């Protein structure tokens, strides 16, 4: 399991920091689970197209930020899914047991779909199973119907300062 913060508590604990202090405290990139509709998970992943939420409906909830830090394993990676062995657990019925794999390499972070049932996108383009794509700060991705944003530390600090 990776370290995570509700955005509101992250703002209170880190949003006042200047760049150098934030970089020393939180140098890793961040994955933000954007607030949105939730589909409770059952014993199986839901299939089909999720029902669209009207634009006027409140999204509800609060964003949750996950630090992308790897364990001491041969391949530096972070897994995301509903399964209890994942590093980032997202209990949403449109997310597979193992949905996404984030990996850190010499050129930065990548993301790959792990063969999920409901698919994944990066900047609106479908991810192919097992084919990693490079992540750049500010990119949006989905796992099933769940939306995320990827931020390098400096852009995460910028986002936190928007709430002060």
């Amino acid at each position: 399991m990776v370290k995570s913060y509700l955005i509101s508590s992250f703002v209170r604990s880190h949003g006042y920091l200047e760049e150098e202090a934030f970089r020393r405290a939180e140098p890793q990139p961040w994955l933000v689970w954007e607030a949105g509709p939730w589909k409770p998970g059952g014993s199986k992943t839901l299939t089909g197209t999720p029902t669209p939420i009207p634009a006027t409906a409140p999204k509800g909830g609060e964003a949750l930020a996950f630090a992308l830090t790897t364990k001491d394993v041969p391949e530096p990676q972070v897994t995301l899914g509903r399964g209890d062995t994942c590093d980032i657990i997202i209990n949403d019925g449109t997310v597979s047991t193992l949905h996404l794999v984030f990996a850190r390499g010499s050129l930065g972070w990548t993301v790959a779909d792990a063969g999920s049932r409901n698919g994944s996108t990066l900047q609106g383009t479908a991810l192919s199973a097992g084919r990693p794509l490079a992540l750049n700060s500010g990119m949006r991705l989905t796992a099933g119907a769940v939306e995320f944003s990827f931020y390098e530390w400096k852009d995460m600090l910028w986002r936190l300062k928007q709430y002060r």
Side-chain angles (χ1 to χ4, degrees):
M1 206 63 162
V2 300
K3 146 174 88 169
S4 62
Y5 296 94
L6 284 173
I7 290 289
S8 61
S9 66
F10 204 20
V11 168
R12 285 192 299 277
S13 65
H14 290 73
Y16 65 91
L17 295 175
E18 295 304 319
E19 275 190 20
E20 186 57 28
F22 186 84
R23 186 190 62 75
R24 280 194 312 270
E26 304 293 351
Q28 67 282 332
W30 293 85
L31 185 68
V32 177
W33 178 0
E34 302 294 353
W38 176 62
K39 302 200 180 325
S43 60
K44 296 183 179 179
T45 301
L46 298 176
T47 59
T49 305
T51 305
I53 304 297
T56 56
K59 284 191 145 193
E62 181 178 359
L64 183 62
F66 297 96
L68 285 181
T69 53
T70 61
K71 298 180 268 187
D72 292 331
V73 295
E75 296 180 24
Q77 65 181 26
V78 175
T79 56
L80 180 147
R82 280 189 301 115
D84 59 5
T85 60
C86 288
D87 301 304
I88 299 174
I89 299 171
I90 305 295
N91 189 16
D92 184 282
T94 65
V95 174
S96 294
T97 303
L98 174 59
H99 204 108
L100 294 173
V101 177
F102 297 88
R104 186 184 69 218
S106 60
L107 298 177
W109 283 86
T110 62
V111 62
D113 188 281
S116 66
R117 180 176 236 160
N118 289 322
S120 307
T121 65
L122 179 62
Q123 293 294 102
T125 301
L127 293 174
S128 298
R131 299 194 56 184
L133 292 178
L135 286 167
N136 293 311
S137 196
M139 285 186 145
R140 301 285 297 217
L141 58 147
T142 63
V146 181
E147 295 181 10
F148 298 94
S149 298
F150 173 82
Y151 294 107
E152 294 292 347
W153 71 266
K154 192 172 187 176
D155 295 319
M156 187 68 203
L157 177 60
W158 175 87
R159 180 165 176 175
L160 296 178
K161 290 185 181 285
Q162 304 311 299
Y163 294 96
R164 293 191 325 182

